[in-house]
């Protein structure tokens, strides 16, 4: 029965997931193709209108000079004027003024790229007569778009247009403008990648929603129906208290539970009547035996909560928080005012460090609050500082205000994430604790990928500060979802049992963190593996990448796309790395390898500066951290086994707190190095340091294992 139900649930889950995935992908792809084609068809007329206005401006200026008596071929400063115009508008390749014979007299831009003679240029139409092509040409427009998108940059074409220069109906020259198709290609490429990122984000969000809906309406009710039918087949008619399942299958489960309740009510009436009428003891005994055999007076009480309850609220809130990751250093730099007590590089790294530092300080208290008052209540309370912090950043007019806003938001973030983690932990058993925590980490990584990419796109379109208003609104949505989905009773241990109280107050548990300090294996993993990994994450990804890419003239959308690759790689490679780690059993060796690899990756930046190098570095860094992520926790727990009096919760709490220390150090370390070195040299120094730490860690643990082997021999 169990295998059949589980197989059916798995089959339904897979079919629903595949159908939803395919439907969402097709709908998004069609929408993207249509939007790109429309953009391609509408962009060129807009460029022609702009070129026409610029040409008319030059035409009027030349006419004015000629009308006041300046000879046409002796207009001083016209070359520099045209050069400034050409540099100002990147969609123009050149601006030139020619005589009636077609000889160029004045020019700005790169007219050396001219392929066709000036005589073959088309006449610029008047602005009001330029319009987009009809929608009937959608199919041909899409073909033209993809041909342009796939064409190489070296083979870019160029179209030339002109306006005549006339005086008293006598033409004495022309104004020529060259439109750069490379500009059109670059704009279309940016839109194409933006839509691709939106498509990936939509698929991941759809996956999160489908997972929750399937658990609520399919898998959960099927599992409950299996348990109920199994009990009744064995003659157990217990009533499930608080049984309210969703969907068609849930309706069946609820009716079966109601039938059991009806049977129990009818039996209770017969039993009460026998007691009241003082029937023979044998009759009452038979009724009691019947009740015991078929559980006719038994009520089952199970937890009303599920780890899925916290998945969507946590995802929405984490998504809101990740929206600003791709532009935070640039946002602070925009409001930085030079002063004598702190440099610009340090200042733009402070919001990340303050954010991580506040989280490290608040997390231990947040865990106690969640245990005392319940996870749902703490989640709702955490929304207050989170939303206030977003609003402070939205109205900020100084770098100090932004730092203050991030510190306030960090309080809410620490409270909300620890409440969700506590909610899941309270519902997990020892057998599925690791799987449940994987859900927590997976939600955070998915939200990080979607939020970082979409936040960069949104900021590129509407600016930095509106993103914080959007984050505040999403936080309110997360609060509404938490209010509806979270169970108030889950996670609250305000009245612990005597056993729990004794265990919590035992000297061994109370001195857990102090005992871990004496565990050299655990301390080595924390100092030489966990903290360096977080230094690279916040210092390189959250601080260095945005600041460095903006110096390479990357757009905010491009920065967001590059940063999201890190989370995307971890999402896809993380399970594989975890599987390899479980099979190999060499956790610390994998952690050391990933640490050395992450340091070596940073050395790639000590060379020619270009966006492709940064992209490759982020990809390789994601692979290195995917190798580290799963084995690091396992290695820490394995090392903590040498301190048997410390529980897993304490071990993970100490590990997370120490990781936050690395998160604080990362941006400040990179900022401090940038005061004295250039970008490539700063990353190379950190990379060499990380490689050295990794090699020392490998030597340290290898020597420790050798000593243990000699002692056993």
């Amino acid at each position: 029965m169990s295998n059949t139900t589980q197989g059916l649930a798995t089959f339904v889950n897979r079919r629903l997931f595949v159908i939803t995935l395919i439907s969402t992908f097709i709908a998004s792809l069609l929408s993207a193709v249509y939007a790109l084609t429309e953009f391609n068809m509408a962009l060129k007329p807009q460029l022609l209108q702009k070129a026409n206005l610029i040409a008319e401006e030059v035409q009027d200026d030349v006419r004015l000079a000629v009308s006041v008596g300046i000879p046409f071929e002796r207009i001083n400063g016209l070359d520099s004027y045209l050069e400034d115009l050409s540099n100002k508008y990147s969609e123009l390749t050149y601006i030139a003024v020619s005589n009636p014979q077609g000889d160029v007299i004045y020019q700005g831009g790169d007219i050396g790229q001219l392929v066709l003679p000036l005589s073959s240029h088309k006449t610029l139409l008047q602005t009001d007569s330029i319009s987009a092509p009809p929608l009937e040409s959608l199919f041909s427009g899409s073909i033209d778009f993809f041909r342009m998108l796939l064409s190489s940059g070296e083979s870019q074409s160029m179209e030339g247009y002109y306006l005549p220069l006339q005086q008293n109906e006598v033409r004495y020259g022309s104004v020529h403008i060259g439109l750069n198709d490379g500009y059109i290609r670059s704009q279309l490429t940016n839109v194409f990648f933006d839509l691709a990122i939106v498509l990936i984000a939509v698929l991941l969000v759809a996956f999160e929603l489908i997972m929750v809906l399937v658990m609520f309406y399919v898998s959960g009710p099927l599992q409950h129906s299996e348990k109920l039918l199994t009990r009744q087949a064995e003659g157990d008619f217990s009533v499930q208290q608080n049984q309210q399942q969703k969907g068609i299958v849930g309706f069946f489960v609820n009716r079966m539970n109601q039938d059991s309740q009806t049977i129990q009510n009818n039996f209770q009436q017969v039993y009460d009547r026998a007691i009241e009428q003082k029937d023979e003891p044998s009759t009452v005994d038979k009724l009691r035996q019947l009740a015991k055999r078929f559980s006719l007076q038994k009520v089952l009480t199970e937890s009303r909560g599920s780890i899925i309850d916290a998945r969507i609220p946590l995802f929405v809130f984490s998504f809101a928080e990740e929206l600003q990751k791709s532009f935070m250093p640039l946002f602070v730099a925009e409001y930085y005012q030079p002063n004598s007590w702190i440099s610009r590089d340090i200042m733009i790294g402070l919001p990340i460090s303050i954010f991580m530092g506040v989280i490290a300080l608040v997390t231990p208290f947040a865990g106690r609050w969640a245990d005392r008052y319940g996870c749902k209540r703490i989640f709702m309370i955490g929304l207050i500082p989170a939303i206030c912090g977003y609003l402070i950043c939205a109205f900020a007019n100084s770098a100090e205000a932004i730092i203050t806003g991030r510190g306030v938001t960090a309080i809410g973030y620490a409270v909300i994430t620890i409440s969700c983690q506590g909610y899941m932990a309270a519902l997990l058993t020892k057998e599925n604790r690791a799987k449940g925590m994987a859900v927590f980490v997976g939600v955070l990584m998915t939200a990080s990928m979607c939020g970082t990419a979409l936040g960069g796109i949104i900021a590129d379109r509407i600016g930095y500060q509106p993103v914080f208003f959007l984050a505040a609104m999403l936080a309110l949505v997360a609060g509404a979802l938490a209010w509806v989905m979270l169970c108030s009773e889950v996670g609250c241990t305000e009245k612990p049992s005597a056993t729990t109280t004794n265990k919590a107050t035992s000297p061994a548990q109370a001195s857990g963190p102090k005992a871990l300090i004496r565990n050299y294996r655990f301390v080595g993993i924390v100092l030489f593996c966990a903290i360096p990994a977080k230094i690279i994450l916040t210092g390189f990804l959250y601080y260095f990448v945005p600041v460095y890419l903006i110096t390479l003239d990357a757009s905010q959308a491009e920065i967001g796309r590059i940063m999201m690759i890190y989370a995307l790689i971890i999402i896809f490679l993380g399970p594989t790395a975890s599987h390899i780690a479980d099979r190999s059993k060499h956790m610390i060796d994998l952690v050391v390898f990933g640490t050395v690899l992450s340091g070596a990756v940073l050395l790639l930046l000590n060379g020619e500066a270009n966006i492709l190098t940064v992209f490759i570095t982020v990809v390789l860094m994601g692979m290195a951290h995917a190798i580290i992520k799963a084995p690091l926790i396992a290695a820490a727990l394995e090392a903590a086994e040498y301190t048997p009096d410390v529980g897993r919760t304490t071990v993970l709490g100490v590990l997370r707190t120490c990781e936050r220390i690395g998160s604080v150090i990362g941006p400040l370390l990179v900022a401090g190095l940038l005061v004295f070195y250039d970008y490539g040299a700063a990353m190379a120094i950190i990379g060499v340091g990380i490689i050295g730490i990794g090699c020392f860690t490998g030597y340290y643990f290898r020597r420790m294992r050798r000593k243990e082997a000699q002692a056993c021999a």
Side-chain angles (χ1 to χ4, degrees), residues 26 85 127 174-175 246 259 316 394-395 440 518 546 566 640 644 707:
I26 293 175
L85 280 179
T127 303
S174 301
V175 178
K246 307 293 184 181
D259 291 341
V316 175
F395 292 104
F440 177 79
R518 296 190 294 270
Y566 173 86
K707 287 184 177 181

Side-chain angles (χ1 to χ4, degrees), residues 155-220:
S155 61
Q156 64 182 24
S157 60
M158 189 168 45
E159 293 186 355
Y161 300 87
Y162 77 94
L163 281 179
L165 292 170
Q166 296 179 349
Q167 187 176 26
N168 298 325
E169 298 184 355
V170 177
R171 180 173 175 178
Y172 58 87
S174 301
V175 178
H176 297 266
I177 285 185
L179 285 182
N180 184 9
D181 277 353
Y183 173 81
I184 300 176
R185 185 184 301 110
S186 66
Q187 295 301 305
L188 289 173
T189 302
N190 287 335
V191 174
F192 177 80
F193 283 116
D194 287 348
L195 290 173
I197 295 303
V198 172
L199 172 59
I200 294 173
V202 166
L203 291 176
L204 290 174
V205 172
F207 173 76
E208 289 294 327
L209 294 176
I210 289 301
M211 282 289 294
V212 174
L213 292 176
V214 167
M215 288 300 298
F216 270 123
Y217 292 98
V218 181
S219 299

